[in-house]
């Protein structure tokens, strides 16, 4: 499933993702973490089996990830540490 916008992942509501996955009998794999830059062609998550991921479920999963224009100060520090 592709991202719904452009920006940095600010927050991932894991509880909501687990709830949607359980309700639709799916396994969901996240492909990003807070601080990662994403755009509308970025794969944000993969749901398996794909046929269980309805449009409603996909929308709920996308909405569980908040995007922002820039990294938070903490996310910026973490990315600098990983780059070393």
């Amino acid at each position: 499933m592709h991202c719904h916008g452009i920006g940095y992942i600010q927050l991932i509501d894991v509880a909501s993702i687990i709830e949607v996955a359980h309700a639709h009998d799916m396994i969901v794999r996240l492909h990003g973490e807070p601080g990662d830059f994403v755009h509308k062609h970025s794969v944000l998550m993969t749901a398996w089996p794909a046929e269980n991921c309805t449009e409603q479920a996909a929308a709920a999963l996308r909405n569980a990830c908040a995007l922002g224009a820039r990294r938070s100060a903490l996310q910026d520090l973490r990315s600098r540490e990983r780059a070393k």
Side-chain angles (χ1 to χ4, degrees), residues 22-48:
H22 181 72
H24 293 272
D25 197 27
M26 300 183 294
I27 296 171
V28 176
R29 178 179 179 210
L30 296 170
H31 295 280
E33 61 184 62
D36 288 351
F37 183 79
V38 294
H39 52 82
K40 66 181 182 177
H41 298 293
S42 298
V43 176
L44 192 57
M45 298 176 216
T46 304
W48 183 85

Side-chain angles (χ1 to χ4, degrees), residues 5-83:
I6 298 173
Y8 292 93
I9 299 174
Q10 299 290 315
L11 173 75
I12 299 174
D13 184 353
V14 176
S16 291
I17 292 171
I18 291 170
E19 184 178 312
V20 172
H22 181 72
H24 293 272
D25 197 27
M26 300 183 294
I27 296 171
V28 176
R29 178 179 179 210
L30 296 170
H31 295 280
E33 61 184 62
D36 288 351
F37 183 79
V38 294
H39 52 82
K40 66 181 182 177
H41 298 293
S42 298
V43 176
L44 192 57
M45 298 176 216
T46 304
W48 183 85
E51 58 269 10
N52 289 11
C53 191
T54 64
E55 286 298 321
Q56 181 182 4
L61 290 170
R62 282 188 196 99
N63 288 336
C65 295
L67 303 181
R70 54 179 62 122
R71 288 185 182 117
S72 70
L74 181 60
Q75 291 166 348
D76 195 38
L77 287 173
R78 286 183 185 160
S79 66
R80 289 181 189 175
E81 287 299 316
R82 282 187 281 197

